[in-house]
């Protein structure tokens, strides 16, 4: 169209910075192809990214009709005490880690526990974390300087049983 001049427009481009994960809890395997009644071991890990933490809670959930937790093993640590508990009826594993002494030692990657898992039924299931970012219930990593839960991500695993 002759003489047509479009109205000037303004657009706003939002550039967001990637969010830095302050702490992450995860299992040592994302997925496993399993055989019914043949146990395997998976590690529960916490990466505090160099933050000084006082303690952590890892609360894992699983389907009691699909898997059985046979054992939870923690290794002695010079920095942390570990307290594992399995509730086989509710399908929960709770691992509490408490720093033995208050100091400014940064926490990097901790192996909270090794869990022996036995698939007991064919099909697909998960072991996941009860996690509510920023809250103090569920899985947590508590920063020493202000007692804030800095656990931003918690990643479970998928189990496919033949």
């Amino acid at each position: 169209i002759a003489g047509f001049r479009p109205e000037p427009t303004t657009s706003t481009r939002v550039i967001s910075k990637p969010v830095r994960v302050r702490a992450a809890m995860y299992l040592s395997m994302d997925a496993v192809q399993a055989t019914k009644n043949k146990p395997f071991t998976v590690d529960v890990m916490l990466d505090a990214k160099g933050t000084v933490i006082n303690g952590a809670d890892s609360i894992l959930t699983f389907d009691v009709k699909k898997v059985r937790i046979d054992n939870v093993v923690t290794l002695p640590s010079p920095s942390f005490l570990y307290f594992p508990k399995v509730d086989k009826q509710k399908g929960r594993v709770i691992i509490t880690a408490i720093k033995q002494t208050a100091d400014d030692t940064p926490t990097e990657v901790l192996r909270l526990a090794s869990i022996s898992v036995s698939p007991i039924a064919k099909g697909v299931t998960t072991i996941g974390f009860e996690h509510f970012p920023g809250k103090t219930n569920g899985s947590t990593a508590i920063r020493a300087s202000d007692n804030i839960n800095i656990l931003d991500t918690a990643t479970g695993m998928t189990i496919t049983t033949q």
Side-chain angles (χ1 to χ4, degrees):
I1 301 175
F4 174 75
R5 296 182 80 180
E7 294 276 330
T9 61
T10 60
S11 65
T12 304
R13 184 173 177 200
V14 178
I15 300 174
S16 57
K17 294 180 183 178
V19 176
R20 182 180 157 265
V21 173
R22 298 171 295 173
M25 200 171 283
Y26 56 95
L27 298 176
S28 57
M29 295 185 282
D30 294 337
V32 66
Q33 298 290 322
T35 302
K36 185 178 172 186
N37 297 319
K38 185 175 180 191
F40 63 90
T41 300
V42 63
D43 292 333
V44 182
M45 309 297 294
L46 170 64
D47 185 352
K49 312 282 185 188
T51 303
V52 179
I53 64 168
N54 283 335
D57 282 315
S58 174
I59 302 175
L60 293 139
T61 58
F62 61 94
D63 184 342
V64 298
K65 294 177 183 169
K66 299 275 188 172
V67 297
R68 180 182 66 238
I69 303 301
D70 296 321
N71 200 12
V72 179
V73 176
T74 60
L75 292 177
S77 164
S79 303
F80 287 86
L81 296 172
Y82 299 106
F83 303 94
K85 177 184 173 187
V86 179
D87 185 335
K88 292 181 181 185
Q89 292 181 341
K90 290 185 180 178
R92 291 165 49 109
V93 176
I94 302 168
I95 304 157
T96 298
I98 300 172
K99 197 163 195 181
Q100 294 190 49
T101 58
D103 62 27
D104 292 334
T105 305
T107 306
E108 295 296 337
V109 178
L110 296 175
R111 185 176 65 79
L112 300 176
S114 290
I115 300 175
S116 177
V117 180
S118 288
I120 57 174
K122 292 182 179 184
V124 178
T125 190
T126 61
I127 296 178
F129 288 91
E130 188 176 286
H131 179 236
F132 310 102
K135 306 289 184 188
T136 54
N137 56 328
S139 298
T140 61
I142 305 301
R143 185 169 50 203
S145 63
D146 55 10
N147 291 321
I148 297 291
N149 177 15
I150 61 166
L151 185 63
D152 292 325
T153 64
T155 306
M157 71 182 299
T158 301
I159 303 165
T160 304
T161 303
Q162 307 294 329

